[in-house]
């Protein structure tokens, strides 16, 4: 049998050569990159055998690429994915699988199991003749394409406040359009501030997490932070005390009153009992301070809660302070940093469904 004749690419112009060279340097798709290199090497006069040896591909592959480029030009470099074999599980069955995955095994008489594993779900689908057979990987892909993911169970605290909607919209109205001549302030307590190692996240070398002590003693007692968020400026004012009784809360209100002497204060706060102490209510009525109480179990409406989450994440998580002085200094440093970069607080949950509520959803969706 005679030697098969060598195949070469057609004559390539200078512009085409530069384009091939650019593709061979910058292409991210491995198929496009490999084909461009084959064409470029052939244009440089290298034989099919030489290209095969250097690229570690078959001779038929090299010849096919060269012939395709000669016929279709640069379009031959782009991979034409066929999409694989046809699906053996149609869309109707896939939707049925996703529906079963959202149920509990107990709904199908499988006692002793509260949730599905992929293997148990696959066995159940075969036993129920939903599919003749299915692998765990195929099942995982079906669930993923159906937007079914493995999630942790969460809780929902339903409000028992009969006036929830009215109170919620009252708070939202203060956020959206603060009264003229008044100042809206969100107040809450943060803590307790214990002296203990706090888990957190940090950039570290792979496989070498930061280590915190696992056992500890809390000999330093507990502190509490009372804080106020001024929506007009976005700044936080706070104090740290050993107790969080009505006396400490009233002291914070008096400090806020002295800071803005000529304005009426609208203080948004929860139903913590010290907030409703007779001395507090009396003083507020006499000093042009209106206490705007949130609906029961509606603390998520308090704008300062998100600020507490940021404080916990950036200043406390991942730390192991041994004294309250050290921990308080860390909090103070974060608050100072934050207050120098803050802006007025506007647009509270603008796209949230809570703004369309006409009735309180007492059950989790």
């Amino acid at each position: 049998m005679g030697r098969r004749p060598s195949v070469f690419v057609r004559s390539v112009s200078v512009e085409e050569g530069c384009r091939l060279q650019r593709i061979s340097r910058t292409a991210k798709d491995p198929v496009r990159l490999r084909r461009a290199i084959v064409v470029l090497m052939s244009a440089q006069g290298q034989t099919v055998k030489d290209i095969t040896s250097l690229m570690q591909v078959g001779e038929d592959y090299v010849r096919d690429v060269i012939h395709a480029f000669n016929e279709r030009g640069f379009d031959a470099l782009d991979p034409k994915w066929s999409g694989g074999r046809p699906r053996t599980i149609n869309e109707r069955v896939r939707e049925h699988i996703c529906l079963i995955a959202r149920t509990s095994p107990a709904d199908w008489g499988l006692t002793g199991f509260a949730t599905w594993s992929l293997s148990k779900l696959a066995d159940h689908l075969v036993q129920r003749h939903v599919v003749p057979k299915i692998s765990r990987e195929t099942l995982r892909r079906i669930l993923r394409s159906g937007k079914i993911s493995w999630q942790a169970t969460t809780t929902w605290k339903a409000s028992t406040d009969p006036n929830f909607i009215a109170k919620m919209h009252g708070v939202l109205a203060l956020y959206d359009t603060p009264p003229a001549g008044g100042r809206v302030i969100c107040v809450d307590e943060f803590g307790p501030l214990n002296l203990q190692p706090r888990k957190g996240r940090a950039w570290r070398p792979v496989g070498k997490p930061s280590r915190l002590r696992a056992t500890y003693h809390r000999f330093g007692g507990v502190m509490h932070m009372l804080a106020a968020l001024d929506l007009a400026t976005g700044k936080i004012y706070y104090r740290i005390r050993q107790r969080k009784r009505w006396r400490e809360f009233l002291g914070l209100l008096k400090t806020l009153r002295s800071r803005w002497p000529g304005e009426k204060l609208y203080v948004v706060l929860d139903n913590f009992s010290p907030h409703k102490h007779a001395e507090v209510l009396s003083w507020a009525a006499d000093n042009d301070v209106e206490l705007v109480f949130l609906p029961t179990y509606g603390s998520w409406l308090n704008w300062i809660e998100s600020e507490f989450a940021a404080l916990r994440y950036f200043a406390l998580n991942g730390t192991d302070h041994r004294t309250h002085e050290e921990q308080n200094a860390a909090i103070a440093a974060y608050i100072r940093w934050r207050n120098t970069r803050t802006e007025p607080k506007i647009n509270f949950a603008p796209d949230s469904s809570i703004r369309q509520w006409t009735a309180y959803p007492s059950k989790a969706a």
Side-chain angles (χ1 to χ4, degrees), residues 30-319:
V31 176
R32 179 177 173 84
L33 175 63
R34 185 167 57 248
R35 292 179 182 178
I37 294 175
V38 168
V39 173
L40 185 61
M41 294 176 68
S42 179
Q44 293 172 345
Q46 300 191 47
T47 64
V48 171
K49 186 175 182 180
D50 293 337
I51 298 174
T52 299
S53 175
L54 292 173
M55 296 293 294
Q56 295 297 302
V57 293
E59 292 187 8
D60 290 339
Y61 174 83
V62 175
R63 291 190 178 91
D64 290 342
V65 171
I66 293 175
H67 285 309
F69 185 84
N70 291 338
E71 295 173 1
R72 295 185 284 120
F74 283 89
D75 289 342
L77 303 183
D78 296 323
K80 298 296 187 292
W81 304 110
S82 63
R85 65 180 183 180
R87 287 181 173 180
T88 58
I89 303 176
N90 59 41
E91 287 298 327
R92 184 185 63 81
V93 176
R94 287 169 176 262
E95 292 177 1
H96 188 44
I97 291 174
C98 292
L99 177 63
I100 295 177
R102 294 198 299 267
T103 63
S104 170
D107 297 334
W108 303 89
L110 300 178
T111 59
F113 299 98
T115 187
W116 297 109
S117 65
L118 287 178
S119 59
K120 289 184 177 63
L121 180 57
D123 292 341
H124 177 74
L125 295 174
V126 174
Q127 293 173 3
R128 300 285 300 187
H129 304 292
V130 177
V131 290
K133 63 179 181 178
I134 186 171
S135 67
R136 287 183 296 177
E137 177 60 19
T138 300
L139 179 57
R140 183 191 66 80
R141 293 185 179 186
I142 290 175
L143 295 179
R144 182 177 181 180
S145 63
K147 301 187 183 303
I148 306 296
S149 61
W150 182 256
Q151 302 178 31
T153 302
T154 61
T155 58
W156 173 264
K157 187 74 170 182
S159 177
T160 57
D161 196 326
N163 299 317
F164 183 93
I165 294 297
K167 291 181 179 180
M168 181 192 72
H169 284 295
V171 172
L172 294 179
L174 284 176
Y175 291 167
D176 296 339
T177 55
R183 186 175 293 263
V184 181
I185 303 171
C186 296
V187 173
D188 201 3
E189 289 80 17
F190 177 78
L193 297 173
N194 297 301
L195 295 178
Q196 64 183 61
R198 300 173 183 270
K199 293 183 178 180
R201 295 180 179 273
W203 296 107
R204 296 281 299 171
V206 174
K208 296 182 179 180
S210 179
R211 301 289 183 179
L212 298 174
R213 53 181 177 150
T215 58
Y216 56 91
H217 299 283
R218 287 179 286 188
F219 294 126
V222 174
M223 303 289 284
H224 301 274
M225 176 179 173
L226 294 85
L229 172 65
D230 175 28
L231 300 190
T233 62
K235 293 185 177 182
I236 290 179
Y237 304 92
Y238 77 99
R239 52 180 55 188
I240 295 178
R241 297 290 185 267
Q242 292 183 341
R243 305 283 295 275
K244 56 176 183 178
R245 302 166 300 179
W246 68 268
R247 294 179 180 85
E248 288 75 19
F249 174 65
L250 183 57
L252 176 64
L253 291 182
K254 290 180 178 180
T255 301
L256 299 176
R257 177 71 286 172
S258 62
R259 181 175 293 274
W260 300 289
E263 302 178 67
K264 180 174 182 178
L265 302 184
Y266 297 86
V267 179
V268 179
L269 68 172
D270 59 27
N271 295 275
F272 185 39
S273 58
H275 299 167
K276 295 186 174 182
H277 192 276
E279 293 285 346
V280 174
L281 299 178
S282 177
W283 179 90
D286 295 337
N287 290 273
D288 205 18
V289 176
E290 181 176 337
L291 302 181
V292 183
F293 291 101
L294 297 166
T296 307
Y297 303 139
S299 60
W300 47 270
L301 281 168
N302 196 334
W303 210 325
I304 200 173
E305 291 289 348
S306 59
E307 300 295 338
F308 286 163
L311 168 63
R312 183 179 295 106
Y313 183 87
F314 291 111
L316 296 180
N317 285 358
T319 65

Side-chain angles (χ1 to χ4, degrees), residues 307-346:
E307 300 295 338
F308 286 163
L311 168 63
R312 183 179 295 106
Y313 183 87
F314 291 111
L316 296 180
N317 285 358
T319 65
D320 187 7
H321 299 299
R322 303 305 176 97
T323 66
H324 281 292
E325 290 75 14
E326 180 184 346
Q327 182 167 259
N328 295 348
I331 294 174
Y334 170 78
I335 296 295
R336 285 195 302 270
W337 176 89
R338 181 202 169 280
N339 283 349
T340 59
R341 294 164 173 80
T342 190
E343 296 179 354
K345 309 294 285 187
I346 57 176

